[in-house]
Amino acid sequence: MSKETLLTVGIDLGTSTTQLVLSELTVENFASAFTVPRISISNKKVIYRSDIIFTPLLNQTEIDAEPINEFVAEQYRKAGIKKQDIQMGAVIITGETARKANANKVLDALSGYAGDFVVATAGPDLESIIAGKGAGAQTFSESKRKPVVNLDIGGGTTNLAVFKDGEVIDTACFDIGGRLIKVDKQQRVTYLAPKIQEITRKKELSLTIGDQVTEATLKPLLLELVHVLENSVGLGEKSPFFDLLVTNHPLKRNEEIPLVTFSGGVADCFVAEEKEPFKFGDIGLLLGKYLRQSLIFSEKEVLQSNETIRATVVGAGSHTAEISGSTIAYREQILPIKNIPILKLAKEDEELAASELSERIREKLNWHTTEGTPQVALAIRGDKNPTFDDIQRYGKGIVAGLDSLVKEAIPIIVMVDEDMAKALGHALSANLPPEYPFICIDSVKVENGDYADIGLPVAEGAVLPVIVKTLVFN
């Protein structure tokens, strides 16, 4: 059993804050000498946590790339690390920052600091999943055998992810966060988010930029925000501002969610009395205070999260798997492929009829959409002993579900746990246009939040090497 240590970095650029974490990951090959490598992360050790800074902005729509670069360089210096020492990493841009006009320029500027890195601009759904995993909601859903929802409350948004038996079953996002109102040292308002302005108008509250505020003057507004957060997990009468504050979509709430975790900066603000409620220049502390008094705490079981403001990636570990040659189907012209995000279906999705399966895939594809049509690798468990009808159902459902990719001639990539890629490859081919580029491989274990590299075929075309990069959390 061979061991290797990787030095990795996780850089998190959020709406309000930017931070990084340097870690050592131990990877081990748990397979015998005569089988396909099964490499996984056996240990992780955080060796440096950076300062947390406010994300620098040029204006309300543009990130200032230069100070971010300087911040990362300074943190490497403090940690005594050279950028060439980093073997792997992850740069995650989340929240409002992912929607800024020049997010990609920032990614380009930072890419040299993360070795063989995963870069993700996370839209609201993917951000919900990443934060929920970091807070431990995924693990709690397995150990407590009940659905868990994580609310990640940052500066501009609250991201929800529901986990059941370790799988993501639903996500949502609301425009509720600690920096929707900013104040200066004299408690004068310097910024009011557009939706906050709309609520104040409809509630006929007197609040404009330049006004001096107190906890008492803001309380009616804060209670409205808390009311919507109660609604978001199925509690209380529906707020008149619920629909206004939905970023993309609410939870479907098909079943009761008894357990709740919190992450994000506001999760550090559940304090009863704070002598300086505006010490961070925003409403985060007050939002945390009133949330602590909400129905969520009286009617749900709130679990202690693993991480709050640092529910972020430690870095990206990697494990490689060489795929059994008898069960792959691919068109070689699309290889090699790097850093493809994984979209994994839940087991209950896979059991649906072809038309419902395709609908579920279309829905979940939105997890990866920040702009344009995303290229993803669709992951399924598959069946140990699939019937002909099962294979046809999967083939039809997958191709119909990924029709937006087919319209733009984006290659279709499917990864299956079970040994059925050859048969499924034939079914995909039969449902795709002639000579359409696709890859179908099996015996690869991946999860939502993973990224994959697929190399050029080896062993006379019988094997495709795959590297799976797993985001690793504190």
Side-chain angles (χ1 to χ4, degrees):
M1 198 157 42
S2 57
K3 278 190 187 185
E4 188 188 346
T5 305
L6 300 176
L7 183 61
T8 89
V9 62
I11 302 172
D12 180 14
L13 274 168
T15 305
S16 308
T17 59
T18 291
Q19 57 183 307
L20 69 80
V21 177
L22 292 165
S23 316
E24 272 181 2
L25 303 180
T26 305
V27 291
E28 285 186 64
N29 183 4
F30 289 93
S32 70
F34 307 106
T35 57
V36 172
R38 274 267 167 246
I39 297 175
S40 60
I41 294 154
S42 61
N43 193 31
K44 59 192 175 195
K45 185 169 84 178
V46 173
I47 58 171
Y48 179 77
R49 292 170 188 263
S50 78
D51 305 326
I52 298 176
I53 60 162
F54 283 124
T55 300
L57 300 175
L58 290 168
N59 50 50
Q60 291 298 343
T61 60
E62 282 190 285
I63 301 164
D64 194 351
E66 196 43 50
I68 290 172
N69 237 329
E70 288 165 12
F71 167 74
V72 173
E74 172 63 16
Q75 298 308 313
Y76 278 23
R77 273 197 300 278
K78 281 187 176 179
I81 298 282
K82 295 186 177 70
K83 63 181 177 184
Q84 54 269 32
D85 298 337
I86 303 284
Q87 285 147 294
M88 187 158 290
V91 182
I92 307 288
I93 294 193
T94 58
E96 288 296 310
T97 317
R99 301 193 267 282
K100 300 295 182 199
N102 63 341
N104 286 339
K105 281 187 198 160
V106 175
L107 288 181
D108 292 343
L110 283 178
S111 62
Y113 284 101
D116 183 10
F117 61 99
V118 168
V119 173
T121 306
D125 295 300
L126 187 57
E127 184 181 355
S128 299
I129 294 166
I130 289 171
K133 283 183 164 186
Q138 180 185 32
T139 316
F140 285 136
S141 75
E142 290 177 299
S143 62
K144 296 194 175 282
R145 304 218 161 256
K146 290 176 185 171
V148 182
V149 60
N150 183 64
L151 284 82
D152 183 67
I153 310 174
T157 54
T158 295
N159 295 83
L160 289 83
V162 181
F163 295 87
K164 182 182 176 185
D165 300 324
E167 294 185 319
V168 186
I169 58 166
D170 203 1
T171 61
C173 186
F174 290 80
D175 290 324
I176 296 175
R179 292 186 71 74
L180 297 181
I181 300 175
K182 296 179 195 172
V183 299
D184 63 17
K185 287 188 169 62
Q186 283 71 47
Q187 292 178 208
R188 293 190 189 283
V189 175
T190 59
Y191 172 73
L192 280 176
K195 289 188 180 181
I196 293 291
Q197 293 179 38
E198 195 164 333
I199 295 171
T200 56
R201 207 165 42 247
K202 286 184 175 162
K203 281 185 71 72
E204 297 179 349
L205 299 170
S206 168
L207 184 65
T208 56
I209 290 181
D211 284 358
Q212 194 165 32
V213 290
T214 62
E215 178 177 341
T217 55
L218 290 178
K219 187 174 178 179
L221 190 61
L222 290 159
L223 291 177
E224 289 296 347
L225 298 180
V226 169
H227 187 175
V228 173
L229 290 177
E230 290 171 338
N231 290 170
S232 76
V233 292
L235 298 172
E237 290 291 313
K238 186 178 176 183
S239 161
F241 303 110
F242 182 88
D243 295 328
L244 168 71
L245 290 169
V246 169
T247 310
N248 52 0
H249 53 82
L251 296 178
K252 291 187 220 46
R253 296 208 296 271
N254 295 336
E255 60 185 299
E256 184 62 25
I257 309 163
L259 305 176
V260 181
T261 55
F262 287 96
S263 60
V266 174
D268 285 327
C269 301
F270 293 150
V271 284
E273 284 309 322
E274 171 59 59
K275 289 190 179 71
E276 297 175 63
F278 298 104
K279 73 176 177 187
F280 297 124
D282 58 29
I283 56 168
L285 279 165
L286 290 173
L287 183 59
K289 173 183 170 176
Y290 289 110
L291 193 54
R292 181 67 186 81
Q293 299 165 10
S294 72
L295 293 175
I296 299 174
F297 279 81
S298 58
E299 297 194 19
K300 304 267 185 193
E301 185 185 347
V302 177
L303 304 171
Q304 179 60 50
S305 303
N306 293 346
E307 291 286 345
T308 50
I309 194 167
R310 290 189 189 268
T312 183
V313 284
V314 165
S318 89
H319 60 271
T320 56
E322 290 194 357
I323 310 311
S324 138
S326 60
T327 56
I328 58 175
Y330 63 92
R331 303 250 194 270
E332 190 169 342
Q333 73 270 28
I334 60 176
L335 296 166
I337 296 174
K338 270 187 82 81
N339 282 333
I340 296 291
I342 302 296
L343 169 58
K344 186 165 190 179
L345 297 182
K347 188 64 187 158
E348 59 194 52
D349 299 337
E350 290 187 41
E351 290 160 0
L352 297 169
S355 59
E356 293 169 296
L357 174 61
S358 65
E359 199 45 53
R360 193 60 58 86
I361 292 169
R362 280 192 202 104
E363 205 178 277
K364 292 194 170 180
L365 205 52
N366 289 326
W367 290 356
H368 291 272
T369 306
T370 45
E371 52 188 57
T373 307
Q375 179 162 21
V376 298
L378 183 73
I380 59 172
R381 278 194 180 78
D383 286 326
K384 245 191 180 62
N385 302 299
T387 64
F388 176 77
D389 287 345
D390 284 332
I391 295 286
Q392 297 309 304
R393 179 176 63 81
Y394 274 118
K396 282 195 182 77
I398 288 170
V399 172
L402 298 175
D403 58 352
S404 60
L405 277 72
V406 176
K407 282 180 190 140
E408 295 190 38
I410 296 169
I412 300 296
I413 302 166
V414 180
M415 295 184 168
V416 197
D417 276 11
E418 298 293 350
D419 186 1
M420 56 180 266
K422 197 76 165 179
L424 180 56
H426 287 308
L428 293 172
S429 185
N431 285 282
L432 286 165
E435 297 303 304
Y436 193 88
F438 78 93
I439 298 170
C440 187
I441 49 183
D442 61 22
S443 310
V444 192
K445 293 225 180 307
V446 289
E447 294 296 335
N448 283 307
D450 288 352
Y451 290 74
D453 297 350
I454 305 174
L456 290 164
V458 293
E460 298 176 342
V463 173
L464 292 181
V466 175
I467 295 177
V468 180
K469 297 169 187 175
T470 302
L471 296 183
V472 183
F473 299 93
N474 294 351

